[in-house]
């Protein structure tokens, strides 16, 4: 089904944030669809003249949702994809059913209010914010892990692997590093972990530990001109080393990573 992008004025978003706890939080706590819809029926909400193929999102299915959002909106530029107004509005309109179903799944959590805010808004540094807000996260993970080299076969294969467990935790730890702003480095590391998935677990601690390794050798190797293949090989070699010598791993991480 074709639909159009929607966004809001910056003034609407800032006022919504400012008054959220007092005026709007209860609507989300109560999953009040009709009331939320009404909030977004005004002149400060408007369509952008870009159509995309809407795909239903599935609460809890991070692999499906990442591929669905990125494949539908892969024509967005990075500048467009940094706009909080757009993601905030899209989540409260086009993807409202998904939002409410997702909130229902965490309604009994002690920090439910913070879940609501993290789903809706950008918080923290730019990269962290993009990887926390619900829709934005899916687009940016898709953007960073879409594999152009395998566009004729399956460009989403690394997305499927990366997103299969604890996407939010891994995404923030892995992509908040300046190192992985270089897509070849990011793809090379994930591909190296995939190649050694029989030796290490696909968890955020593995990505964090390997990121630290690359940061340590960054002064020796000019990482910005290291090829993806070289990064993959370095990742596999490092995994081979520390799995053969587990005493080199921090004690607290040994059982988590290997």
């Amino acid at each position: 089904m074709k639909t159009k992008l929607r966004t809001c004025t910056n003034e609407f978003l800032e006022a919504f944030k400012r008054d959220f706890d007092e005026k709007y939080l209860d609507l989300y706590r109560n999953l009040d669809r009709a009331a939320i819809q009404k909030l977004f029926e005004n002149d400060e909400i408007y369509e952008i003249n870009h159509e995309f193929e809407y795909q239903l999102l599935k609460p809890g299915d991070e692999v499906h949702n990442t591929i669905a959002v990125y494949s539908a909106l892969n024509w967005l530029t990075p500048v467009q994809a940094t706009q909080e107004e757009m993601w905030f509005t899209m989540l409260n309109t086009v993807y409202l059913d998904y939002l409410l179903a997702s909130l229902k799944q965490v309604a009994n959590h002690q920090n439910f209010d913070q879940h609501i805010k993290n789903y809706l808004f950008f918080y923290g540094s730019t990269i962290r914010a993009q990887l926390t807000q619900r829709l934005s996260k899916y687009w940016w993970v898709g953007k960073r892990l879409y594999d152009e080299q395998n566009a004729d076969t399956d460009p989403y294969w690394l997305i499927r692997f990366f997103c299969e467990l604890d996407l939010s935790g891994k995404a923030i730890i892995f992509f908040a590093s300046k190192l992985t702003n270089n897509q070849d480095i990011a793809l090379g590391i994930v591909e190296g972990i995939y190649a050694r998935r029989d030796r290490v677990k696909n968890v955020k601690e593995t990505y964090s530990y390997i990121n630290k390794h690359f940061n340590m050798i960054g002064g020796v190797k000019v990482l910005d001109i290291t090829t993806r293949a070289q990064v993959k090989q370095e990742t596999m070699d490092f995994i081979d080393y520390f799995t053969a010598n587990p005493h080199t791993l921090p004690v607290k991480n040994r059982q988590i990573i290997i």
Side-chain angles (χ1 to χ4, degrees):
M1 179 182 73
K2 291 279 188 181
T3 189
K4 288 187 177 181
L5 280 179
R6 299 178 193 180
T7 191
C8 66
T9 64
N10 180 256
E11 292 77 12
F12 179 83
L13 174 60
E14 291 306 313
F16 202 96
K17 282 182 167 182
R18 184 181 62 245
D19 299 333
F20 187 72
D21 286 358
E22 181 181 348
K23 292 184 177 181
Y24 309 124
L25 179 56
D26 277 344
L27 302 182
Y28 293 86
R29 285 173 176 160
N30 297 326
L31 309 178
D32 192 337
R33 190 180 195 282
I36 294 170
Q37 278 185 307
K38 190 171 182 179
L39 289 176
F40 287 82
E41 294 172 353
N42 65 74
D43 291 340
E44 293 190 89
I45 310 299
Y46 58 95
E47 292 182 341
I48 302 174
N49 194 27
H50 288 290
E51 283 192 336
F52 69 97
E53 192 67 41
Y54 168 78
Q55 296 184 54
L56 195 68
L57 302 187
K58 302 176 182 178
D61 192 338
E62 302 282 59
V63 173
H64 168 83
N65 295 341
T66 301
I67 294 172
V69 170
Y70 185 68
S71 63
L73 299 170
N74 58 17
W75 44 268
L76 287 174
T77 67
V79 172
Q80 290 171 320
T82 61
Q83 295 174 7
E84 182 182 8
E85 295 88 347
M86 178 187 68
W87 296 121
F88 165 73
T89 305
M90 291 286 286
L91 189 58
N92 281 286
T93 55
V94 176
Y95 294 101
L96 180 57
D97 287 340
Y98 162 74
L99 170 62
L100 296 178
S102 298
L103 290 177
K104 187 175 182 179
Q105 289 187 337
V106 296
N108 293 324
H109 288 206
Q110 188 174 5
N111 56 347
F112 182 44
D113 289 358
Q114 193 57 53
H115 274 291
I116 294 170
K117 294 174 184 179
N118 287 344
Y119 280 27
L120 294 175
F121 305 122
F122 279 16
Y123 285 110
S125 66
T126 301
I127 293 175
R128 186 181 182 88
Q130 292 165 355
L131 294 169
T132 302
Q133 200 273 355
R134 206 63 176 179
L135 287 182
S136 173
K137 172 183 72 175
Y138 294 140
W139 191 91
W140 280 102
V141 171
K143 172 70 173 175
R144 287 167 175 265
L145 291 180
Y146 183 85
D147 187 0
E148 289 278 1
Q149 289 183 13
N150 287 281
D152 293 334
T153 52
D154 181 11
Y156 300 107
W157 72 288
L158 290 177
I159 293 172
R160 289 191 178 90
F161 175 66
F162 187 84
C163 297
E164 69 183 10
L165 180 68
D166 187 22
L167 172 58
S168 293
K170 275 190 288 192
I172 290 169
I173 282 178
F174 187 57
F175 292 118
S177 167
K178 291 181 180 178
L179 180 80
T180 51
N181 281 336
N182 180 315
Q183 191 172 28
D184 281 339
I185 292 175
L187 291 170
I189 291 173
V190 178
E191 191 173 2
I193 294 171
Y194 178 85
R196 292 292 187 266
R197 63 193 182 280
D198 59 334
R199 302 186 189 184
V200 293
K201 295 172 185 172
N202 186 18
V203 293
K204 65 183 179 183
E205 290 81 5
T206 300
Y207 292 86
S208 176
Y209 192 60
I210 292 172
N211 266 10
K212 288 176 183 176
H213 170 69
F214 275 95
N215 280 321
M216 286 178 64
I217 67 174
V220 179
K221 297 185 178 182
V222 185
L223 292 177
D224 283 341
I225 60 171
T226 299
T227 67
R228 171 177 166 180
Q230 289 172 316
V231 172
K232 175 186 176 182
Q233 188 61 54
E234 179 68 33
T235 300
M236 293 189 298
D237 290 346
F238 182 54
I239 291 172
D240 291 344
Y241 171 76
F242 71 69
T243 53
N245 301 277
H247 63 277
T248 62
L249 279 166
V251 175
K252 65 179 181 178
N253 285 341
R254 282 179 200 167
Q255 291 186 334
I256 299 173
I257 293 175
I258 60 178

